[in-house]
Amino acid sequence: MMQMALPMMTTVMRMSMADSMNYFARKYKVKPGLTFADVKESLFLRANQLNVKYVGENLMWKDFHAVLGDTEAPKIEVYSWCDIAVARELLKISPEFVVFLPCRIVIMEDANKDIWLLMLDWSLDWVKGYEKQLGLTPELVNGAIDLNKRMDEMMRAAANGEL
């Protein structure tokens, strides 16, 4: 299945690798004038308001500099978040779902030094009508939809510098 997905997207749908990856990403461009620090502060404040637990970070750009000596690399910071109740219910259905956990939001700058927020676009629209066959309870579906909305709200608030 995995071997069929990328060729299908690149050949049949005529998508580049970048287009294919964009298909799986939700992203928002940060309002001009905001700094990385502004964006991070807004992200964390909104997460706190929405009761989304911060569980870790990966400051990739620092490793690009320190390990690779690549001082031209863009600034990229990956923050991990969790709703432990939703995570537990997902793992009861499929322990392999752990590869998608915890949820991540990335703050990154592009080649033009514009700042973006990104996350995996895991809307449940693609499972509509198949919830029972997949073993998804109504409570789990509602919890996942709610978490997805909170993560989106966090990104939007951060992109706009809302404190």
Side-chain angles (χ1 to χ4, degrees):
M1 191 165 111
M2 295 288 287
Q3 288 179 331
M4 292 179 357
L6 194 56
M8 187 169 64
M9 292 179 86
T10 57
T11 306
V12 176
M13 298 175 73
R14 306 228 187 267
M15 298 174 88
S16 68
M17 178 62 90
D19 291 335
S20 298
M21 292 303 103
N22 270 308
Y23 184 79
F24 296 106
R26 182 178 309 167
K27 62 184 183 179
Y28 297 108
K29 188 174 184 178
V30 170
K31 187 169 70 174
L34 294 174
T35 66
F36 245 75
D38 297 332
V39 174
K40 180 180 176 182
E41 182 178 13
S42 295
L43 183 67
F44 276 72
L45 287 172
R46 188 54 56 99
N48 190 48
Q49 290 174 348
L50 297 173
N51 198 29
V52 179
K53 184 179 181 183
Y54 166 71
V55 294
E57 68 185 14
N58 178 355
L59 308 179
M60 293 178 75
W61 67 276
K62 288 187 176 184
D63 286 334
F64 295 152
H65 290 210
V67 176
L68 302 176
D70 185 354
T71 58
E72 301 297 316
K75 195 168 185 181
I76 300 173
E77 299 181 354
V78 183
Y79 296 97
S80 299
W81 310 90
C82 188
D83 180 313
I84 201 67
V86 172
R88 181 63 187 120
E89 291 305 310
L90 284 169
L91 295 175
K92 285 179 185 176
I93 294 169
S94 172
E96 294 80 8
F97 200 87
V98 75
V99 300
F100 294 105
L101 301 177
C103 301
R104 288 171 297 282
I105 293 178
V106 177
I107 306 172
M108 66 172 281
E109 63 184 14
D110 64 17
N112 299 319
K113 301 293 184 194
D114 292 322
I115 303 173
W116 294 82
L117 288 130
L118 296 92
M119 76 175 204
L120 179 65
D121 191 357
W122 49 275
S123 162
L124 292 183
D125 292 343
W126 57 276
V127 299
K128 289 260 190 251
Y130 297 98
E131 293 90 348
K132 278 192 176 183
Q133 295 94 316
L134 295 171
L136 304 176
T137 65
E139 296 81 16
L140 176 55
V141 169
N142 290 335
I145 289 170
D146 178 61
L147 178 57
N148 192 15
K149 286 179 182 176
R150 288 184 284 157
M151 297 283 292
D152 188 73
E153 185 177 334
M154 290 164 54
M155 288 179 43
R156 289 176 185 269
N160 291 311
E162 297 172 11
L163 300 177

